[in-house]
Amino acid sequence: MLYNLDQFVTLIHFLLENESIILSMPINGDLWKIRHLINDCSSTHINTDNEFINYLQQFNQISSQSLQFNKTLDTFHKITLFNMPTLQFINIVNILILKERLSGNSISIDATPKFNKTLEQLLEPSQPQKIEYTHEQLLLLSFQNESSILKTLLNKPTAKTILTKQRAKLKTPIQPFYQVCDDINHNYSLASIALNNKKETYNSKNLQEHLIHKKIQQSKSNLNQEVYKCYCEKIHFLPIINNHTDLTLGDCSYLDTCHKMRNCRYLHYFTLNPLPRQKQQQQVIKSYDYTIDDCFTENFRPILPPQWIECDVRKLPFSTLGKFAAIISDPAWDIHMSLPYSTCKDDELLELPMQELCDEGIIMLWVTGRSIEIGRKALVKWGYKVSDEMIWIKLNQLKRTIVTGRTGHWLNHSKEHLLVGIKGNPIWLNTKIDLDLVISNTRETSRKPDEFYDIVERLVGKHSRKLEIFGRDHNTRPGWLTIGNQLKGVSLYEPEVKLKYNMYINKQK
Amino acid sequence: MSYTYNKFGSRSTTTKINPPTTSTTEIPDVKLDYNNNYVHTNVNPISYIKNIQNPVDGYPKLIKLHQLKKQQINVHATQAYGKRVETDQIIPVLNSWIKLGLKFDVIMIGALVDNQFILPILNSLPINKLCSKPGFLFIWASTEKIKELTKLLNENELNKKFRRSEEIVFLPIDKNSKYYPNQEDNVGLFENQQWHCWMCITGTVRRSTDGDLIHCNIDTDLQIQNNLENNAVPDLIYKICENFSNSNRRLHIIPSKLDENHYIKLRKGWVIMSPDILLDNFDVIKYNDELYQKSMIKRQDNKDQFLIQVTNEIEQLRPKTPK
């Protein structure tokens, strides 16, 4: 059938008004949907899809093909949803012209205002445009005048962080933890009971903790109740006042690590820990459902005993050792100091083929002031990216930072630095559980805190292979392989490493 | 000798020495593991450090020395100066000062805020002309910025003139502190709470002989927030600079605007330059006059220096290099 010109007016208005809606989701230019939409808003009723196609063909003829479809617009013998063409483009300008013609006007430039506007924008991009939404306006709209909410949101830990933290909490055995008493009077009144024998010269060697506890418990009645309660709960540092102690000098810089304790005139202290209340209950390591990034045998697989190899690190072929998830190293940097062990030249350290030891994982490298730059260079050379700079805050016996003793060249040093490097894209790491610092008492010269091992284990998992380079006897630990020239002998459990190491030794012979 | 291992890996020898025979209760060795405690309680290990309020607690000589130094610094210090300069005008203003012959012995750049324009300033400023010799530079860096600054200090000409000598770390007391670093752009493996301040030295100073210029080993390279201030730079760090260098000409450049959490507190003895500073009272002539009045000293080599006079008592108390 042939349609009357008037019967197209509704279609023209419909297309002009809804151009973008028709072409986008959910209509997507599907003709069967468009037909129903047109029927809803027009008096001309089109009953079948073939009728509609016919209608559109005629419209295209008078509007110089303003509608474009994905296939030729033909009527079908049997029409289905699948072989029907879809509308893909609407030439608005052509339709506008048609609209003008139908209303009897001649075509003028004014008749295509929309087109002109578009063209102007295309031709003159330098013309300042009116920005409808600024960053501030968007913030205002989304966060009701409180842009700090956005910052707070961004600063919030992710769900993964929260879960891994929670898991670390469940899996890390609780170590006994006590507060330290701040009240100097408590310390003095406890000392007046426990360390009151004027004839005796006290030092850490002849003081036995259990005897002091016994003494205090015997004279419980002489003690202020509050002091006794505090004694049961907190750690106290009892001043040891001997005849040679000169109180005006203040505390000894070395306290419990002092070598001349027998006649040191500075004040020393005895650490009195509270008695454990009850037998610590055996902590059960439970299994947990949240095992993402964990080894699935985590809960029942035993941890390998400590392994170590006494060797010259520079000569041992690293291919015998295999690959590791975490490497920790405390090289004896050559810093022109007379230390009781031989130091390692910077170049020698940089030349180590460390890249062989790890494909994806982390490294922790202890550095000193001057060697921090060499350390950075070394990490980059070995294929790592420096991700964190951790510090170890050194505490003395009294849980104070170390402030005396000319420990640095210009300023005193109360911390040491540890560079952390990351290689590859280890998405299996449990990040952000720990802080980038460790606070711990000093021990023997150059001995580093054990807390770092726990941090690494939380980060890479208990069963990941872990290596320590330049380790000493006290560094060997279950789950870790330690190499260095100050270790004694060889102890290996992993069959492959054992085999390769024996092959290497046999070849040497 | 054989070893036994307990579950957590600490090792003990089987040949134990003198087990307490008289005691009925075995007393285990208590080692406070603050990181373990942090995992379980979320209490920041820093809060257990006992000398945060008074770092030199227990050392009467050091307490006295700090007191005396503070007094002496105060006696010689110029009044607090502020110079309000927009970020893009900092370099031109500094260049005009250089033309006038103005020099500083202690220059601090940056503050405890993210998004500082420290690199551009360092790159375009002829810092060796602004800084006297010997001179001391203190540069702030967030953990993120360290990499870029390291590169600059290693490659740039700066490296030949300024030697990186110490790395001062400042720690906020806990998460609620205004100084707690933003974690949003922390790509590291650990929660980060350090601020780094590098101390660089130019020219020749010897700690054994130049006791009139510098006093070493008075402060430490680690400072922990001990009050609720929220200055752009904590007093503790200004104090390190003042205690270390006896020079009286100190400049602090804060290149960018601060966020709502921080403000700039003026400090006696310092010229502070920033787009954000309220007081704009700096005047080269007035400053020079004041320096001559308060701290002109002729050194052995007959050179004028603006130094803080070292008293005998301070000289006696301060840590010295053994002869």
Side-chain angles (χ1 to χ4, degrees), chain A residues 155 169 172-173 182 210 251 373 376 388-389 399 401 408-410 412-413 415 432 436 451 476, chain B residues 8 11 22 31 36 40 50-51 58 146 150 164 166-167 182-183 189 191 194 207 217 219 221:
Chain A
N155 255 328
K169 194 173 167 174
T172 309
D182 286 323
H210 68 276
D251 298 344
E373 291 314 317
R376 281 176 186 283
D388 295 81
E389 206 176 306
K399 308 296 173 196
T401 57
H409 194 84
W410 307 106
N412 281 333
H413 289 176
K415 60 174 167 49
K432 308 265 160 59
D436 62 350
E451 279 86 337
T476 59
Chain B
F8 312 129
R11 195 172 64 183
T22 47
K31 177 189 174 290
N36 181 288
H40 290 291
K50 286 295 160 194
N51 60 340
I146 284 187
T150 307
R164 239 189 82 181
E166 295 284 359
E167 181 161 346
N182 258 341
Q183 298 299 322
L189 304 173
E191 183 143 350
Q194 303 173 32
R207 71 168 180 179
N217 302 105
D219 290 292
D221 61 355

Side-chain angles (χ1 to χ4, degrees), chain A residues 72 123 162 169 179 184 221 240 242 333 336 394 417 442 461:
Chain A
T72 7
L123 290 176
I162 294 169
K169 194 173 167 174
Q179 302 273 349
I184 189 163
S221 51
I240 304 173
N242 289 318
W333 297 100
H336 317 293
K394 296 163 147 182
H417 289 248
T442 51

Side-chain angles (χ1 to χ4, degrees), chain B residues 39-105:
Chain B
V39 168
H40 290 291
T41 62
N42 222 14
V43 178
N44 197 315
I46 295 171
S47 57
Y48 294 107
I49 296 176
K50 286 295 160 194
N51 60 340
I52 291 176
Q53 275 316 313
N54 182 15
V56 288
D57 208 9
Y59 304 105
K61 263 173 82 177
L62 262 177
I63 294 174
K64 184 81 189 158
L65 175 64
H66 276 264
Q67 259 173 16
L68 291 172
K69 287 275 290 181
K70 192 177 171 186
Q71 279 166 17
Q72 196 66 4
I73 289 162
N74 198 33
V75 165
H76 290 275
T78 61
Q79 70 170 96
Y81 284 103
K83 176 77 187 168
R84 199 186 313 131
V85 181
E86 284 308 314
T87 304
D88 55 351
Q89 287 304 305
I90 287 180
I91 297 290
V93 168
L94 288 176
N95 276 328
S96 73
W97 287 4
I98 291 170
K99 267 193 199 135
L100 290 171
L102 197 60
K103 272 182 191 272
F104 293 92
D105 307 283

Side-chain angles (χ1 to χ4, degrees), chain A residues 425-442:
Chain A
N425 181 26
I427 50 166
W428 39 271
L429 291 179
N430 300 313
T431 60
K432 308 265 160 59
I433 297 175
D434 282 281
L435 299 165
D436 62 350
L437 49 86
V438 162
I439 296 180
S440 180
N441 281 39
T442 51

Side-chain angles (χ1 to χ4, degrees), chain A residues 125-143:
Chain A
S126 60
Q127 189 181 336
Q129 294 180 14
K130 194 186 157 214
I131 300 160
E132 291 189 3
Y133 290 107
T134 61
H135 186 64
E136 281 69 30
Q137 274 175 327
L138 278 176
L139 274 178
L140 191 75
L141 280 171
S142 327
F143 299 101

Side-chain angles (χ1 to χ4, degrees), chain B residues 132-155:
Chain B
S132 68
K133 266 186 188 180
F136 313 98
L137 205 58
F138 292 83
I139 304 173
W140 283 98
S142 61
T143 309
E144 288 301 299
K145 287 274 180 293
I146 284 187
K147 278 168 233 166
E148 300 166 29
L149 278 174
T150 307
K151 219 173 146 194
L152 180 83
L153 281 187
N154 284 340
E155 290 172 0

Side-chain angles (χ1 to χ4, degrees), chain A residues 61-73:
Chain A
Q61 278 169 15
I62 58 166
S63 67
S64 66
Q65 308 296 331
S66 61
L67 304 179
Q68 281 167 26
F69 300 87
N70 63 342
K71 49 183 115 167
T72 7
L73 206 57

